[in-house]
Amino acid sequence: MTRPGPSHATSAELLVLHTLRCVGVSGLSRVAGATGLTEADTESELIDLALAGLVTRTSGDFGGWGLTEDGRVADAERIADEVAAAGARPRLTAAFDRYLLLNPELLDLCTSWQTRTMGGTMTMNDHSDPAYDAQVLDRFTEFHRRAEPVCAELSAAHPRFQRYAVRLGDALARARAGSLEYVTDSTSSYHTVWFQLHEDLLTTLGIPRH
């Protein structure tokens, strides 16, 4: 196994392994997009991890790469070692507390994007009202401004978290440019990336999901 170097940068192998822990069963392109690695490098790491019995690939429309039980155990151990080696737990914990303060607001924003109340009745938002969507996107933009310092704090605590700021910013920019699926309905949407960050923080800090 490749250990983090003096800068505590995460090895490509562990990055791919841990990404699968956070995103679940996924295709090659999604894993590569989440890690920031090229698809060729990602596939190479996945093959090596599969040979080690840590990941497996299933076929079919809903198939993809996923962790084995040994992979879940290995990921938990290696991530715990990495956090300890970097001395990052106190800063990650503090940043996670600030993340949790923002989390309910993000969920409310997603609800406002997916539904709307008309005449006292809540209905699905069919996105036929550009003015309404623009208003909610403005709220997302304001939310993102307040989320950026939390992302920066996480990135300063450990470089592995730098990718989340990039992915969140990209999702918001795409949504504002007209690709509305990047708000909540894409595997690379703002909501999806935010949820993966939540899962990453829980697994990194060893906190069970309730």
Side-chain angles (χ1 to χ4, degrees):
M1 156 173 101
T2 304
R3 294 283 185 175
S7 66
H8 304 295
T10 304
S11 68
E13 178 189 67
L14 181 52
L15 186 60
V16 170
L17 183 70
H18 189 62
T19 294
L20 280 179
R21 171 64 184 84
C22 296
V23 306
V25 175
S26 303
L28 174 62
S29 61
R30 186 181 182 196
V31 179
T35 61
L37 300 173
T38 66
E39 289 196 8
D41 287 343
T42 301
E43 186 172 40
S44 177
E45 296 297 340
L46 286 167
I47 291 171
D48 287 346
L49 289 166
L51 291 173
L54 302 182
V55 307
T56 186
R57 187 176 185 275
T58 55
S59 58
D61 292 340
F62 300 100
W65 293 93
L67 295 188
T68 63
E69 187 55 40
D70 285 346
R72 291 177 70 89
V73 172
D75 175 69
E77 292 175 348
R78 296 180 189 185
I79 288 296
D81 288 347
E82 180 183 77
V83 171
R89 176 170 289 275
R91 296 177 72 183
L92 288 174
T93 300
F96 183 43
D97 288 342
R98 282 181 266 283
Y99 171 96
L100 290 177
L101 292 176
L102 291 171
N103 195 48
E105 184 179 350
L106 188 278
L107 296 179
D108 285 344
L109 277 173
C110 291
T111 298
S112 295
W113 180 257
Q114 294 172 325
T115 65
R116 57 183 304 183
T117 301
M118 301 180 67
T121 302
M122 180 175 287
T123 62
M124 296 301 296
N125 180 18
D126 62 5
H127 304 292
S128 61
D129 184 349
Y132 177 83
D133 283 355
Q135 181 185 57
V136 180
L137 279 175
D138 284 344
R139 291 169 57 197
F140 264 98
T141 299
E142 196 277 328
F143 172 88
H144 185 67
R145 290 195 189 100
R146 288 181 288 111
E148 284 181 314
V150 176
C151 290
E153 191 172 354
L154 288 168
S155 298
H158 200 287
R160 177 165 55 79
F161 288 90
Q162 293 173 356
R163 183 69 183 157
Y164 287 102
V166 174
R167 295 173 66 204
L168 288 168
D170 180 65
L172 180 60
R174 288 174 180 266
R176 295 199 65 92
S179 297
L180 301 185
E181 69 274 15
Y182 279 89
V183 180
T184 61
D185 299 324
S186 164
T187 56
S188 299
S189 71
Y190 198 99
H191 174 258
T192 299
V193 176
W194 184 263
F195 176 82
Q196 289 168 8
L197 174 55
H198 193 185
E199 189 69 19
D200 197 340
L201 286 165
L202 290 174
T203 56
T204 296
L205 295 172
I207 300 172
R209 179 176 286 281
H210 298 294

